Amino acid sequence: TVACAILKAYDDGADVINLSLGSETLDGKPPLASKLAIESLPARVAVVAAAGNTGAASVVYPAALPRVISVAALGWGGTKRAVFSTFGPTVDVSTVGEGVVSTYVNGVEWPVYDPNLPDSYSGRNPTAMWSGTSFAAPQIAGLIARRAAAARVTPARAYALIRAQYRKRGAPGIGLRIPILVR
């Protein structure tokens, strides 16, 4: 399903693809269909994926694939790794992934999670506060898309420009720290 969605996104004209998903595998090898789908994309296409929320130096796919830009999460201050974020040599960049406000669906939280005071989300554009590498990855994908459009270059070239800009902000295990939602 993921592999088909990646190929459909490309066929529909996407040249920056965000994958706010991932998992470890039982054998440590990447899921073959996703790996082949990503490898079949032209080099100009940027594929960005969430590094994972294991809180350990884990290998999470598709983020760990060589062709993918793996994004770890930083805490709200934007300088240190969020405790839940996967880290390690497969991580390329990181940005704030803790306490990110994003959209949510209308409804009421299932009372099993909070029987005394379930949260309610309503209105025209309900939002909630989230944490995870799945909320860091789209920020990097958006930055790449924005830079590509502004510089009139491919997303792959835009990512190279971003790496050059933040080359002095690297940290072991979390790659280049890129401030996007830092207060």
Side-chain angles (χ1 to χ4, degrees):
T1 301
V2 171
C4 289
I6 291 167
L7 296 174
K8 181 167 180 2
Y10 173 70
D11 287 345
D12 288 347
D15 54 5
V16 178
I17 299 173
N18 179 69
L19 301 169
S20 284
L21 53 86
S23 68
E24 296 174 284
T25 58
L26 293 176
D27 61 4
K29 295 179 183 175
L32 185 58
S34 296
K35 177 181 182 284
L36 294 175
I38 290 167
E39 288 175 350
S40 75
L41 298 172
R44 67 178 168 74
V45 175
V47 180
V48 180
N53 300 322
T54 67
S58 304
V59 176
V60 174
Y61 292 104
L65 291 169
R67 176 79 170 63
V68 175
I69 301 162
S70 177
V71 184
L74 299 175
W76 187 242
T79 58
K80 296 181 181 176
R81 176 181 63 87
V83 295
F84 57 80
S85 182
T86 299
F87 58 93
T90 62
V91 173
D92 299 303
V93 298
S94 55
T95 195
V96 172
E98 186 174 77
V100 177
V101 176
S102 187
T103 56
Y104 200 71
V105 296
N106 278 314
V108 177
E109 180 181 34
W110 193 26
V112 169
Y113 293 115
D114 190 354
N116 297 322
L117 189 60
D119 291 328
S120 176
Y121 304 92
S122 61
R124 186 169 170 199
N125 296 305
T127 59
M129 187 175 291
W130 303 89
S131 293
T133 59
S134 288
F135 299 95
Q139 294 174 61
I140 299 298
L143 179 63
I144 292 169
R146 182 174 164 197
R147 182 70 57 91
R152 295 186 176 174
V153 296
T154 67
R157 177 69 182 132
Y159 178 60
L161 295 171
I162 292 165
R163 288 192 62 78
Q165 178 182 352
Y166 293 101
R167 71 184 177 280
K168 294 181 180 178
R169 295 185 56 99
I174 59 171
L176 301 179
R177 290 174 296 189
I178 300 176
I180 297 175
L181 294 179
V182 178
R183 284 188 181 179

